[in-house]
Amino acid sequence: MFQPRNTESNRYGQRFYFHEFDIKTNQFHPQIKQLINFDIDVPLKDIYLSNITPSEIIVTIYRADESVEVKRGNDFSSSYTYSDKKGENLIGHSSYSIQLKDGTPIIVKEEVFNPIKIIAPSNSPVKFVKLIYLHSNSAVNSEELIPYYFLFETISDKKLHLYQSDFYGNTKLILEDVPADIGKNMTRDHFGRLWICTSSGVCKIDPSQLSFNENRSEMVKGLHVINEDNKGQIWFGGYHSMMLFSRYDGFRLKSQTSSGPVKLHGLLPGTYKDRSGHLYFFSEVSGLVGFNQGRTHEVVLKGHIKPLVGYIFQPLKNDFVALGLLNEGLAIAKLYNFTIDSLRIIGKEKGLKLQNVITLAQDKNERIWMGRTSQGIAVYDPIKDTIFNWMREDYPENGLGALCLNIDENNILWMGTQKGLFCLKDVHLFNIEQNNLFDFAEEFQLPGDPMSTPGFLLNEDKYLIVGTRRAVHFIDKKYNGKRPRVFSLKFGKDLDGSEAEQNAVLKDSKGYLWIGAQTGATRLDLNNLPFDTSETTVMLEYFKADDTEIKLSGNYIGKIPLNKRHLEIGFTASGNPMLHDNLIFDIFLIQSNGDTILQKLNHTDLNFIFEYLPPDSYKLQIVAYKNNVESCNVGYAFVIPAQLTERPLFWILLAILIVTIPEYGYGLIHATNKPY
């Protein structure tokens, strides 16, 4: 949110000020422009100046007599006037107009009247509030979209919602619950983001994201699972409410009350779709349940009496699937058409020490890896029919427990653990009989998020996607550099919600990524993720020695005033056009002999303090990492001068004086007493 210090217009003669955002410096800068005068002989209600194309400007003048004049062209010689009485005409253009009839906006194009069609959140009745003009060349040049957005208010909760429309009245919900003080103008930048003026500042919106927060009445509470049926509909399953499902059909989110013979109570993590398109979930009470188009189906368990209650599914070969179960261990079975067949349970009798199996992965040699965060990691070898365990309690120093597992196409086992993200290379070749897994697991530090427990892992063509308590990280599999490139979208800043939900992630048939969080779900377009790869420039902003501010000029700061040993240093990092919090810094303080006496790694603040520095020549080195890749490396030199009493020569001279003065005095006395 940008809030100018002075919200009043500053006008001097024929000039006025406005603020422009510079993506290179990440700052708003005041600009001075020349005023354009229009001779208007009637009282005005409002006036707007807008870009229609890069070379054409339109001025819309709302007069007090309910007429509207539109001036166009570089010299504004082309103009026309239409009536706005009784609020019937909202806007008029040479090729179309927008009118208001009985409270409904209507787009009139080529004498065809197209009423605006609105699908409101919660299916609530709405009323039209106002038009918002979009300053965007891409929208204006589109043959289908009009350069105006429609603001509607839902009658039930008085919230405002923003819609975009084509010339036929078909709308798309762009943003829910927009600020109440939204203005009449907004713009779209070349990243596709919307910037909206309000009376309190500027709001930035990323329309490429679609979020369903659980505070919506039609969204499940306590989201645990996300899956897609054969019709491309996305199903959300929850734990806390009686309404256990929500369904998104590509246009609208609806609450879904299930019917069928099985009564569901509290959906647990884990979902599966068989080759016929039937969905499966775990219910806390009913166990494994089949599901198809809103209707539950009892799953026939051949040769097993107790309900199968669990947390995870892992597809295997030949219609087999592995299930991580509650209190029973690992199940392997065929699951198709609401029937469990060829069921095998691998549990305590085989030596499995995990009480609950909450995550699964299968390696190239068909070994099944399992984990539980609080206990450890285990593996089942189906060829030897043997279990091997690595438990945290047996290895207190480096023991790991897994909440999520994934094996990629390079045979790397990725483990989301209580200590962060770890990996094991060539997992299919790992000697499970002789080696300790924890001795071979390598830590993979996520930028700015090193110890956060990953909640889900998803491997797709471009990225390994890791969801943690703080962010969703995209490890770039195509990038080849000294350090892996990791893009990050942080919850509460770049993404709606907070904390990734356990194994609740889906890449749907259209290529969209669905992310489950503690407060709902968000959809991202993997082909249009707004990641910033621009260069970074680091510059010192201030350098204070106690209460004295040192003048900065280049990379040599110079000598610090005597007896000023407490330093406060601040710097800026430009080059952030996406306004993402994607920079971390390593800061080093190096003495003249080359020793590093202080380092701050993975630093995110743009200021730091040195409480006391002894006399010496120093180099301050700041290394900036954007997306985990070095983006800037800069050094500054300065000197802490020694006081007189801190210099060795002073003490040498003082010692000489102390020794020589008494001798000199003794010599004078001896000379005085000598008889002549």
Side-chain angles (χ1 to χ4, degrees):
M1 175 73 76
F2 163 62
Q3 295 176 318
R5 295 179 180 176
N6 183 7
T7 56
E8 297 181 357
S9 299
N10 297 317
R11 299 182 179 179
Y12 301 93
Q14 297 297 311
R15 298 182 301 171
F16 74 99
Y17 287 88
F18 75 98
H19 288 78
E20 181 180 56
F21 182 74
D22 186 346
I23 63 174
K24 294 183 178 180
T25 62
N26 194 28
Q27 300 287 333
F28 281 92
H29 302 289
Q31 302 287 333
I32 302 176
K33 294 294 181 180
Q34 198 74 18
L35 286 174
I36 301 174
N37 293 321
F38 293 97
D39 295 327
I40 303 172
D41 55 359
V42 297
L44 298 181
K45 289 175 59 179
D46 228 333
I47 184 169
Y48 293 102
L49 179 66
S50 310
N51 280 92
I52 291 299
T53 69
S55 60
E56 186 177 3
I57 298 175
I58 181 172
V59 179
T60 306
I61 303 168
Y62 293 85
R63 296 172 170 173
D65 62 358
E66 305 297 342
S67 65
V68 178
E69 182 179 2
V70 178
K71 292 178 175 290
R72 305 183 66 165
N74 292 330
D75 57 357
F76 305 106
S77 59
S78 174
S79 66
Y80 58 92
T81 304
Y82 62 91
S83 174
D84 196 29
K85 293 182 179 179
K86 300 180 182 180
E88 291 184 353
N89 289 294
L90 296 175
I91 194 69
H93 286 272
S94 58
S95 59
Y96 70 94
S97 66
I98 304 174
Q99 300 180 4
L100 189 65
K101 298 292 184 182
D102 299 324
T104 300
I106 297 174
I107 300 173
V108 183
K109 183 176 176 62
E110 297 177 353
E111 299 183 357
V112 177
F113 291 73
N114 298 301
I116 293 293
K117 309 171 187 68
I118 295 295
I119 300 177
S122 306
N123 202 24
S124 172
V126 297
K127 70 175 183 179
F128 173 73
V129 178
K130 63 181 175 182
L131 285 176
I132 299 178
Y133 181 72
L134 175 66
H135 302 262
S136 174
N137 298 329
S138 60
V140 173
N141 294 335
S142 170
E143 296 180 357
E144 297 181 356
L145 300 177
I146 62 175
Y148 290 91
Y149 280 48
F150 296 82
L151 192 67
F152 281 85
E153 178 186 82
T154 46
I155 304 299
S156 58
D157 54 15
K158 304 298 182 183
K159 291 184 177 180
L160 300 176
H161 310 287
L162 194 65
Y163 292 84
Q164 187 179 27
S165 175
D166 60 16
F167 285 104
Y168 306 100
N170 302 308
T171 59
K172 175 183 178 182
L173 179 61
I174 297 299
L175 183 66
E176 296 182 44
D177 197 13
V178 301
D181 58 349
I182 186 172
K184 292 184 177 181
N185 290 268
M186 63 182 180
T187 189
R188 178 189 287 125
D189 62 24
H190 62 284
F191 296 109
R193 301 168 303 178
L194 296 175
W195 297 75
I196 301 181
C197 299
T198 73
S199 61
S200 55
V202 180
C203 290
K204 181 191 73 173
I205 302 167
D206 186 355
S208 65
Q209 295 185 21
L210 177 65
S211 297
F212 297 132
N213 197 284
E214 65 177 22
N215 59 16
R216 294 177 57 161
S217 60
E218 65 270 38
M219 185 61 181
V220 295
K221 306 300 185 287
L223 175 70
H224 270 170
V225 292
I226 309 173
N227 210 335
E228 180 184 19
D229 64 19
N230 275 2
K231 294 183 178 180
Q233 300 180 116
I234 306 299
W235 292 82
F236 307 99
Y239 178 83
H240 292 303
S241 60
M242 294 300 294
M243 181 196 73
L244 297 179
F245 291 100
S246 298
R247 175 172 58 89
Y248 177 65
D249 60 7
F251 301 96
R252 180 174 163 190
L253 181 70
K254 299 179 181 179
S255 59
Q256 186 78 37
T257 303
S258 61
S259 60
V262 184
K263 302 302 180 184
L264 298 178
H265 301 277
L267 293 183
L268 299 174
T271 180
Y272 175 70
K273 181 169 69 173
D274 67 20
R275 56 186 169 88
S276 64
H278 299 144
L279 306 183
Y280 299 86
F281 303 96
F282 286 118
S283 171
E284 192 172 41
V285 176
S286 306
L288 181 61
V289 178
F291 193 80
N292 187 38
Q293 296 303 314
R295 182 174 176 80
T296 62
H297 294 263
E298 183 178 353
V299 177
V300 179
L301 303 177
K302 294 183 179 180
H304 195 77
I305 300 175
K306 293 194 308 181
L308 293 177
V309 181
Y311 304 96
I312 190 73
F313 297 83
Q314 173 64 42
L316 306 176
K317 295 180 180 179
N318 303 319
D319 283 336
F320 277 91
V321 60
L323 300 87
L325 301 180
L326 168 70
N327 295 327
E328 293 191 73
L330 170 68
I332 299 176
K334 283 192 173 184
L335 177 56
Y336 177 70
N337 201 23
F338 308 126
T339 301
I340 282 273
D341 198 1
S342 304
L343 177 65
R344 292 182 58 207
I345 302 292
I346 297 98
K348 294 179 181 178
E349 74 285 351
K350 287 290 184 182
L352 181 62
K353 295 182 180 180
L354 300 179
Q355 182 177 354
N356 301 328
V357 175
I358 62 175
T359 182
L360 294 166
Q362 186 180 38
D363 68 23
K364 190 176 180 179
N365 289 332
E366 301 187 8
R367 300 183 297 187
I368 300 175
W369 296 77
M370 300 165 274
R372 186 186 183 194
T373 320
S374 60
Q375 287 190 286
I377 298 173
V379 62
Y380 172 65
D381 187 339
I383 298 176
K384 298 181 179 181
D385 193 25
T386 306
I387 287 281
F388 295 88
N389 301 278
W390 297 276
M391 307 303 289
R392 287 177 56 180
E393 63 181 5
D394 297 330
Y395 303 93
E397 293 186 1
N398 64 346
L400 301 172
L403 179 61
C404 51
L405 299 171
N406 193 285
I407 298 176
D408 66 17
E409 64 277 8
N410 295 317
N411 300 303
I412 299 175
L413 171 64
W414 295 91
M415 297 167 280
T417 77
Q418 86 283 2
K419 293 183 178 180
L421 183 63
F422 283 76
C423 64
L424 176 67
K425 298 177 181 178
D426 294 323
V427 61
H428 62 299
L429 302 178
F430 183 73
N431 191 328
I432 59 178
E433 298 182 33
Q434 298 181 6
N435 294 330
N436 175 13
L437 170 66
F438 302 145
D439 291 338
F440 289 83
E442 301 177 17
E443 183 179 5
F444 187 102
Q445 284 206 353
L446 297 168
D449 198 9
M451 292 291 291
S452 187
T453 301
F456 64 70
L457 291 165
L458 176 69
N459 182 43
E460 65 96 37
D461 296 338
K462 297 179 182 178
Y463 309 104
L464 177 74
I465 303 170
V466 187
T468 72
R469 295 175 181 176
R470 298 180 182 177
V472 177
H473 303 277
F474 298 79
I475 301 175
D476 189 349
K477 292 159 49 174
K478 307 297 183 182
Y479 181 79
N480 185 19
K482 293 182 180 180
R483 291 165 58 111
R485 185 161 68 179
V486 183
F487 302 108
S488 302
L489 298 177
K490 296 187 177 181
F491 287 114
K493 294 182 179 180
D494 309 308
L495 292 173
D496 191 24
S498 62
E499 190 170 342
E501 185 57 54
Q502 176 181 334
N503 293 315
V505 62
L506 170 72
K507 182 180 178 181
D508 68 18
S509 59
K510 301 179 183 67
Y512 290 116
L513 175 69
W514 291 90
I515 295 167
Q518 292 286 321
T519 54
T522 297
R523 187 189 73 180
L524 299 175
D525 185 352
L526 284 171
N527 295 319
N528 293 289
L529 289 175
F531 291 143
D532 173 22
T533 58
S534 61
E535 295 182 357
T536 302
T537 301
V538 173
M539 296 178 293
L540 285 187
E541 187 174 24
Y542 63 85
F543 192 108
K544 292 182 180 180
D546 289 340
D547 56 350
T548 302
E549 185 158 351
I550 308 301
K551 184 178 180 181
L552 301 175
S553 178
N555 293 80
Y556 181 69
I557 298 171
K559 287 186 177 181
I560 306 303
L562 280 173
N563 204 27
K564 304 283 187 179
R565 306 294 174 83
H566 176 88
L567 302 183
E568 296 182 15
I569 301 172
F571 61 95
T572 61
S574 65
N576 186 16
M578 301 302 300
L579 300 184
H580 284 170
D581 186 12
N582 60 355
L583 287 173
I584 58 173
F585 305 92
D586 288 346
I587 300 168
F588 306 93
L589 188 62
I590 304 169
Q591 287 182 301
S592 58
N593 61 3
D595 291 343
T596 300
I597 64 169
L598 188 144
Q599 63 180 17
K600 298 177 182 288
L601 303 180
N602 298 319
H603 200 67
T604 55
D605 294 333
L606 298 181
N607 51 73
F608 48 92
I609 294 175
F610 297 125
E611 294 292 347
Y612 175 84
L613 291 179
D616 202 351
S617 297
Y618 293 94
K619 179 183 179 182
L620 174 66
Q621 187 170 1
I622 303 174
V623 184
Y625 298 93
K626 175 179 286 189
N627 308 318
N628 202 50
V629 176
E630 183 176 318
S631 184
C632 183
N633 190 330
V634 63
Y636 295 90
F638 63 93
V639 177
I640 301 289
Q643 300 184 66
L644 182 63
T645 56
E646 294 176 313
R647 299 177 181 181
L649 181 61
F650 169 81
W651 293 107
I652 293 172
L653 294 175
L654 182 62
I656 293 173
L657 288 174
I658 292 173
V659 172
T660 57
I661 288 176
E663 293 181 353
Y664 179 71
Y666 176 78
L668 287 176
I669 295 172
H670 182 72
T672 303
N673 295 330
K674 183 176 181 181
Y676 291 94

